[in-house]
Amino acid sequence: MKTVDIQEKIVKLAQLINEHNHRYYVQNAPVISDFEFDALLKELTELEAKYPEFILPDSPTQRVGADITKKFPTIEHEVQMLSLDNSYSIQEIKEFDERIQKGLESKHYEYTCELKIDGLAISIVYEKGKLKYAATRGDGKIGEVVTNNVKTIKTIPLKLHGDNTPDYVEIRGEVYITKSNFEKINQNRIEIGEEPYANPRNFASGTLKLQDPREVAKRKLDFFPYFVRLRENETKLSIKTQYESFEWLKKWGFKVNPNIELCKNLTEVEKYLTQWQTKRYTLDYETDGVVVKINDYAQQSILGNTSKFPRWAIAYKYAAEQVETVLQSVSFQVGRTGIITPVANLSPVQLGGTVVKRATLHNAQEIKRLDLHEQDTVFIEKGGEIIPKVVRVNVEKRKKTAHPIVFLTHCPECNTPLQVSETGIHYYCPNSYQCPPQIVGRIVHFVRRNAMDIQAIGEEKVEQFYKAGLIRTPADLYKIKMEDLLKLERFGKKLAENVIKGIEQSKTQPFERVLFALGIRYVGETVAIKLAHHFKDIDNLFNAKAEEISQVYEIGEKIAQSVTEAAKNPYYTQLVQELKQAGLQFKTDEDKIQNTLVSNKLQGLTFLATGTMKNFSREQIEKTIRENGGKVASSISKNLSYLIVGNEPGESKIKKAKELNVKMISEEEFINMLK
Ligand code: IVH
């Protein structure tokens, strides 16, 4: 292909993928399969790796993390980001409406009603249609520039759609995470033995402040815009009302919240407020109220602002819905990592549109904080999580004879004395390898879709096999025979064959999946991939010292420690041995790696990159090195062939490279090596 054709192809592919992204994320109406989409993205990524000079600033590949910044620069908002006056009753809304009537001298006016999304406010500036920067609200006057993190949000266009885009426009809105994504992320945290995040809002704001945009990208934040500001000298278009601004936002490619309504009068506003009081629980995102705004921009400016908030808008806050019910009993659940979670069993009660029978009590500290007693009348509330929580006790209704709830001293499943976790928050059962729910939990983790993916076996079957004495470790799965299964209840020939086939097929799962499936603490999916790539086989990994492991890019000491402990633990050494005998993959497939080679130009050379590159993210440059036969080092040593130096390189790296006489090259020189 001629270079011009390649450039054209890159432009076309980027456009096409951006369109499909918009269909998928904003319109919720994809027209191609995920598979086809991935193929397009792969084609583009590969072309861009070969011809980085043609990478477009709004290429879909540029969403995922450009660089690792040290701290965020700040920026002054051109117009202050105000907050909203709050109200908690219809009476207060009536008073607000009276003030409006007065302010507008009884002229006709309309309101927009918008759900108040519970996330964090950001401001995004587009110049000539292109996303220039994005900043947090900060103190309202000065915010932090978090552009690269915001660029990972798929529902925010990198380039405004349409031809007639304004020269300058600022768009404000709320960054949030869906409840379902939040739950999934927390589930994964629990599975690798980490503390779950407290609530979606804190999670979203914490995520936006992360230093590594690739991590941000994984967390799948989302965005709803609610404010558009053009400069006064804008000539291409004019927007006259809040409601109209949403039409423009849609045209420009944003996902606009579908529940925005134009209300002609206070009665319609009240109807909206009542309607969403409970309906909001059916949404997949957190809302904490409604924002009522004067629709007409000219009227907004007549009303003006106080120093803190606009006079033309008000937030109506819903009190978190609470109900009273009676505590029947407390059960204690034992998780895969042995952590004990207390759960309140309640008299069934309606809350936020569903019947609630159970609520989480989190941990022993929480039971103490509540001073929970048997048969207590408790208030429960729906918080950030889908599972409701007990917020307080109605002490007046407590019977005089009621005993306080005491936390267990022994495991409810195996009777082992419980221990307190390092953080002091949790109790756990230390009997990891004998305690039934921990055994079952580890096997359930092993067969999971993102681990060994043995779909014929779920939680129920693992439990059934365990109770029948067929399995005690994941390795036992590979010893199961047809006749063992046929003896079990509800097992016909077909089902048994399926199970055997599923187990057999899992033997081809690549090393990184097997490593994740082992269930070593802190070794989640991505960590497993990084470790597998670096160490290439389990023996290298298990023989490595903690310092060596923590030198792998993005692997911390906590993980390194956990891996070296596992390497010494007879449970893991025996498990690995048995799984090896069963024929599972404990080495990376070098043939597969060979097949993905684009060239041999970097054969025999080892590279390390420091600082931010113009044409590559860290991941892309590492991939390009590998694809051209080179190796990526994790730290500077004599064996390093080249240190690629980008913008704002790490000072210590440069110093060490000089000391060891390692050759330093620029990004351009690196690109030339590929030509
Ligand atoms: S309008 C001057 N509209 O609520 C107008 N805010 O408590 C300021 N929020 O900082 C904001 N949804 O982060 C507006 N539809 C919506 C909103 C919304 C959520 C947040 C926003 C603001 C906070 C004020």
Side-chain angles (χ1 to χ4, degrees):
M1 246 197 291
K2 273 192 264 160
T3 346
V4 269
D5 296 338
I6 289 161
Q7 186 171 15
E8 197 178 315
K9 176 114 207 194
I10 288 183
V11 172
K12 286 225 168 96
L13 270 170
Q15 257 173 9
L16 188 66
I17 295 169
N18 277 337
E19 266 171 46
H20 285 306
N21 256 337
H22 183 72
R23 287 211 168 95
Y24 184 92
Y25 288 103
V26 179
Q27 298 173 329
N28 236 333
V31 288
I32 58 170
S33 67
D34 288 0
F35 180 77
E36 288 166 300
F37 180 87
D38 288 345
L40 288 174
L41 193 62
K42 186 158 173 266
E43 195 180 347
L44 178 64
T45 316
E46 282 170 3
L47 276 176
E48 286 182 344
K50 276 199 223 161
Y51 304 94
E53 62 272 31
F54 297 144
I55 300 178
L56 297 162
D58 70 326
S59 164
T61 60
Q62 300 304 296
R63 280 192 187 272
V64 183
D67 61 331
I68 300 192
T69 42
K70 287 198 194 66
K71 58 180 182 341
F72 299 106
T74 52
I75 198 160
E76 192 174 342
H77 298 297
E78 213 173 79
V79 169
Q80 199 182 339
M81 285 179 84
L82 298 173
S83 85
L84 289 169
D85 194 7
N86 287 327
S87 65
Y88 300 89
S89 64
I90 299 283
Q91 180 54 33
E92 283 174 274
I93 293 289
K94 281 189 181 136
E95 286 162 16
F96 164 74
D97 185 56
E98 279 161 19
R99 293 197 293 276
I100 298 281
Q101 272 184 39
K102 240 198 216 149
L104 296 178
E105 294 165 341
S106 301
K107 292 214 177 65
H108 176 73
Y109 55 88
E110 287 176 331
Y111 290 115
T112 60
C113 279
E114 301 163 27
L115 292 174
K116 187 166 181 304
I117 316 296
D118 200 9
L120 70 145
I122 56 153
S123 149
I124 318 169
V125 168
Y126 288 84
E127 278 185 9
K128 302 216 175 342
K130 285 201 186 119
L131 194 160
K132 178 101 186 297
Y133 69 86
T136 61
R137 178 175 180 276
D139 64 0
K141 291 194 178 103
I142 291 171
E144 280 181 297
V145 181
V146 287
T147 316
N148 289 324
N149 286 350
V150 166
K151 277 185 175 175
T152 67
I153 303 175
K154 300 278 202 319
T155 43
I156 294 179
L158 302 180
K159 199 168 154 236
L160 298 180
H161 297 188
D163 305 325
N164 199 20
T165 50
D167 283 339
Y168 173 101
V169 59
E170 181 194 357
I171 286 151
R172 294 180 187 172
E174 202 81 350
V175 170
Y176 67 96
I177 179 159
T178 59
K179 288 184 196 165
S180 46
N181 269 333
F182 181 72
E183 289 288 313
K184 255 189 240 155
I185 287 168
N186 262 351
Q187 201 51 44
N188 269 327
R189 297 262 304 172
I190 294 166
E191 269 159 17
I192 61 162
E194 294 263 28
E195 280 284 312
Y197 296 105
N199 63 56
R201 183 184 358 101
N202 291 358
F203 175 80
S205 81
T207 300
L208 217 51
K209 300 271 178 72
L210 289 176
Q211 293 293 328
D212 184 356
R214 280 164 295 178
E215 184 55 35
V216 180
K218 275 187 225 146
R219 296 183 173 195
K220 298 206 177 94
L221 295 177
D222 221 320
F223 179 74
F224 280 131
Y226 53 64
F227 175 84
V228 175
R229 184 179 64 84
L230 297 168
R231 278 199 179 137
E232 276 168 15
N233 59 6
E234 178 61 52
T235 48
K236 286 195 196 135
L237 60 134
S238 80
I239 306 178
K240 298 221 154 46
T241 67
Q242 171 72 0
Y243 202 70
E244 194 194 338
S245 77
F246 289 116
E247 290 311 312
W248 282 100
L249 286 164
K250 277 184 217 161
K251 267 188 223 159
W252 290 334
F254 286 91
K255 179 169 83 175
V256 168
N257 189 293
N259 307 310
I260 293 156
E261 265 176 45
L262 190 60
C263 295
K264 288 196 190 58
N265 50 45
L266 195 62
T267 322
E268 287 187 10
V269 171
E270 277 178 45
K271 215 172 111 201
Y272 187 93
L273 300 180
T274 340
Q275 182 195 5
W276 283 101
Q277 168 105 38
T278 49
K279 205 170 158 192
R280 70 200 181 98
Y281 292 110
T282 62
L283 301 169
D284 194 21
Y285 44 85
E286 287 279 305
T287 57
D288 58 346
V290 171
V291 186
V292 184
K293 298 176 186 166
I294 281 291
N295 186 36
D296 189 289
Y297 282 170
Q299 290 180 332
Q300 286 185 1
S301 70
I302 293 173
L303 292 159
N305 308 321
T306 72
S307 63
K308 282 207 202 98
F309 38 73
R311 290 198 192 86
W312 46 265
I314 195 161
Y316 176 80
K317 295 259 221 160
Y318 292 118
E321 199 189 345
Q322 285 188 356
V323 284
E324 240 186 42
T325 184
V326 176
L327 177 72
Q328 300 293 350
S329 62
V330 175
S331 352
F332 294 87
Q333 292 174 345
V334 187
R336 167 168 78 92
T337 54
I339 286 176
I340 316 281
T341 309
V343 176
N345 300 307
L346 308 161
S347 305
V349 62
Q350 275 279 345
L351 176 67
T354 50
V355 177
V356 175
K357 291 184 205 136
R358 286 147 67 81
T360 177
L361 290 164
H362 300 292
N363 50 52
Q365 259 180 14
E366 183 69 4
I367 293 182
K368 269 206 196 116
R369 181 188 74 81
L370 292 165
D371 187 28
L372 198 61
H373 282 54
E374 285 166 355
Q375 296 295 311
D376 258 350
T377 301
V378 294
F379 287 97
I380 58 166
E381 183 182 303
K382 274 207 172 162
E385 305 81 23
I386 289 168
I387 311 161
K389 57 182 179 209
V390 175
V391 282
R392 67 191 169 90
V393 173
N394 187 342
V395 187
E396 283 166 18
K397 293 196 181 167
R398 181 177 291 158
K399 290 196 193 89
K400 284 215 178 75
T401 51
H403 294 292
I405 300 280
V406 277
F407 208 85
L408 300 181
T409 53
H410 289 72
C411 176
E413 304 278 345
C414 70
N415 211 28
T416 305
L418 298 180
Q419 293 186 358
V420 184
S421 69
E422 290 153 35
T423 52
I425 300 172
H426 294 287
Y427 279 88
Y428 72 95
C429 165
N431 187 20
S432 313
Y433 305 105
Q434 310 294 330
C435 177
Q438 298 190 57
I439 296 173
V440 169
R442 273 191 300 271
I443 305 174
V444 171
H445 169 78
F446 185 85
V447 299
R448 269 174 58 178
R449 191 171 273 257
N450 47 354
M452 300 306 282
D453 192 22
I454 309 181
Q455 288 183 28
I457 308 178
E459 195 167 342
E460 210 181 311
K461 291 215 174 60
V462 171
E463 218 150 285
Q464 190 183 12
F465 297 170
Y466 172 74
K467 283 197 180 127
L470 289 177
I471 52 174
R472 283 191 67 83
T473 76
D476 294 336
L477 287 168
Y478 298 91
K479 297 173 193 153
I480 296 179
K481 297 195 184 62
M482 255 318 249
E483 56 264 35
D484 298 329
L485 295 176
L486 292 172
K487 280 186 211 143
L488 300 176
E489 250 179 65
R490 304 186 304 271
F491 256 88
K493 191 157 169 264
K494 187 104 204 274
L495 184 56
E497 273 172 3
N498 255 343
V499 167
I500 298 283
K501 204 167 107 198
I503 294 174
E504 198 51 37
Q505 277 173 352
S506 75
K507 292 181 181 171
T508 61
Q509 291 293 0
F511 174 40
E512 58 266 26
R513 282 209 178 212
V514 180
L515 184 57
F516 169 60
L518 293 179
I520 299 170
R521 198 159 186 217
Y522 306 129
V523 180
E525 260 178 289
T526 21
V527 170
I529 293 172
K530 283 180 187 139
L531 292 175
H533 261 155
H534 188 90
F535 289 97
K536 307 239 166 357
D537 79 33
I538 192 82
D539 298 330
N540 291 341
L541 176 64
F542 272 13
N543 288 329
K545 294 206 182 72
E547 303 86 73
E548 268 175 80
I549 301 175
S550 61
Q551 271 181 17
V552 178
Y553 183 56
E554 282 190 329
I555 301 291
E557 274 166 32
K558 203 165 73 171
I559 300 170
Q561 196 67 34
S562 169
V563 172
T564 49
E565 269 165 30
K568 282 185 277 178
N569 181 334
Y571 167 81
Y572 284 109
T573 47
Q574 192 179 341
L575 178 63
V576 167
Q577 176 133 24
E578 287 183 32
L579 290 175
K580 267 186 187 170
Q581 269 163 12
L584 270 65
Q585 309 296 315
F586 279 97
K587 276 188 174 49
T588 47
D589 190 341
E590 292 295 321
D591 283 352
K592 254 198 196 139
I593 293 171
Q594 277 300 322
N595 284 338
T596 60
L597 278 191
V598 176
S599 87
N600 275 330
K601 293 204 170 105
L602 308 180
Q603 185 87 44
L605 300 175
T606 310
F607 295 81
L608 183 70
T610 175
T612 53
M613 305 293 154
K614 287 200 272 315
N615 298 299
F616 307 90
S617 68
R618 188 59 59 98
E619 224 161 39
Q620 284 167 343
I621 202 160
E622 290 187 354
K623 197 165 162 252
T624 309
I625 295 167
R626 290 200 187 95
E627 280 175 347
N628 289 283
K631 281 199 184 131
V632 180
S634 54
S635 64
I636 299 192
S637 72
K638 295 197 296 296
N639 305 329
L640 189 67
S641 321
Y642 296 100
L643 177 68
I644 311 169
V645 183
N647 223 344
E648 288 188 44
E651 275 169 35
S652 62
K653 288 217 175 89
I654 299 280
K655 200 170 146 228
K656 189 136 189 233
K658 277 186 186 153
E659 275 167 24
L660 296 175
N661 255 331
V662 171
K663 203 160 175 210
M664 292 188 256
I665 52 169
S666 67
E667 183 181 352
E668 286 71 31
E669 284 173 291
F670 170 72
I671 292 172
N672 281 334
M673 290 174 89
L674 300 170
K675 282 186 185 153

